[in-house]
Amino acid sequence: MYATLQTPTASHSAHLAHARWAPRAPVEIGPQGNQLLAALPASDWQRWSPQLQLVEMPLGQVLYESGRCLSHVHFPTSSIVSLLHETASGASAEVATVGNDGVVGIPLLTGGMSTNGRAVVQSAGLGYRLNRQVVVDAFNAGGALTQLLLRYTQALLTQVAQTALCNRHHSIEQQVCRLLLLNLDRAQGNCLQMTQERLAGKLGVRRESVTGVALALQREDLIRYARGRIEVLDREGLEERACECYGEVKHECERLLPSGR
């Protein structure tokens, strides 16, 4: 059932230890570390559990490309995935984030075998994947599992809609705070693997814009930024600086989705 995991070798270079943050090897949580898998009806869990494959999801891994057929769905446990859309020129922006709250592969459930977006791992970790046909057949059969996946789809669409609204009407600082909080909800602890370049790419803005915001948040002791790592020091303060979009998404997820088994 489980794929072989390779543990990254830790660097022993003293001159890099103080300058770079080395992420730990991913720790297996188990399939019920994903809220949707934990909420599966008992009959579906019995059918799915032998077919779930544990996979490592490294930073930058592309789970699906625009126009390509999806072969599997992924249920992150300790990883976080960014759903991106791109322009013809190659510029991109994030439309939604998927972590231990959901599943990557919703287009399969809405009748499409492919999508015009990309799914990229933005925070390394683990997850479980399942052959697309297993999920599609279970979804088409109706019942409690279908309702669960439809509720998640509604929550995801809310996130997409609020992202569009936020990117149009709110400041870069508010957008950065929203993204940090959304990712923190799907992370373990208060630290995020995220460079300023990656954060800027998620928002579709220049890196310099994000750098200015990060410095301001750091001066106010809301976050601590090191190379490739953002530590949230004051979550309440970050929530006060964020716009209402974060609260709308969080409320809808809590209303529609179970917190676990």
Side-chain angles (χ1 to χ4, degrees), residues 102-113:
V103 57
V104 180
I106 284 298
L108 290 171
L109 307 181
T110 54
M113 301 303 286

Side-chain angles (χ1 to χ4, degrees), residues 149-197:
L149 293 175
L150 285 174
R151 290 198 303 273
Y152 174 71
T153 300
Q154 182 176 340
L156 189 66
L157 289 175
T158 297
Q159 189 182 161
V160 172
Q162 288 295 151
T163 298
L165 180 69
C166 190
N167 290 350
R168 176 65 180 85
H169 293 287
H170 295 145
S171 68
I172 300 293
E173 180 180 275
Q174 289 173 313
Q175 294 177 51
V176 168
C177 291
R178 170 181 58 83
L179 274 182
L180 292 179
L181 289 166
L182 284 174
N183 280 270
L184 201 63
D185 287 344
R186 293 156 177 80
Q188 297 172 299
N190 64 335
C191 294
L192 301 170
Q193 293 175 249
M194 194 177 297
T195 63
Q196 291 183 15
E197 291 88 350

Side-chain angles (χ1 to χ4, degrees), residues 4 20-21 25 34 37 50 59 62 79 96 115 128 141 147 153 204 208 224 226 239 241 248 250:
T4 301
R20 292 179 180 271
W21 174 69
N34 178 280
L37 291 179
L59 180 66
V62 179
S79 57
T115 177
Y128 287 80
Q147 293 303 312
T153 300
E208 290 78 7
R224 180 183 295 123
E239 290 181 358
R241 300 292 287 270
E248 290 290 336
K250 184 177 178 64

Side-chain angles (χ1 to χ4, degrees), residues 28 36 51 57 79 99 119 128 151 179 223 238 252:
E28 182 183 340
L36 290 185
Q51 302 181 71
M57 298 169 66
S79 57
Y128 287 80
R151 290 198 303 273
L179 274 182
I223 67 170
L238 209 60
E252 193 72 348

Side-chain angles (χ1 to χ4, degrees), residues 220-239:
E220 296 184 29
D221 294 325
L222 298 178
I223 67 170
R224 180 183 295 123
Y225 178 76
R227 194 174 186 85
R229 176 180 184 256
I230 296 175
E231 181 181 3
V232 176
L233 304 176
D234 183 355
R235 183 187 177 110
E236 290 185 359
L238 209 60
E239 290 181 358

Side-chain angles (χ1 to χ4, degrees), residues 18 30 59 66 92 100-101 123 130-131 135 153 157 173 204 210 223 240 244-245 256:
H18 69 283
L59 180 66
S66 176
S92 66
N100 57 12
D101 61 321
S123 183
L130 192 61
N131 183 277
V135 181
T153 300
L157 289 175
E173 180 180 275
V210 170
I223 67 170
E240 291 176 359
E244 69 272 17
C245 294
L256 292 167

Side-chain angles (χ1 to χ4, degrees), residues 84-96:
L84 303 162
H85 276 248
E86 297 181 338
T87 66
S89 64
S92 66
E94 182 181 273
V95 297

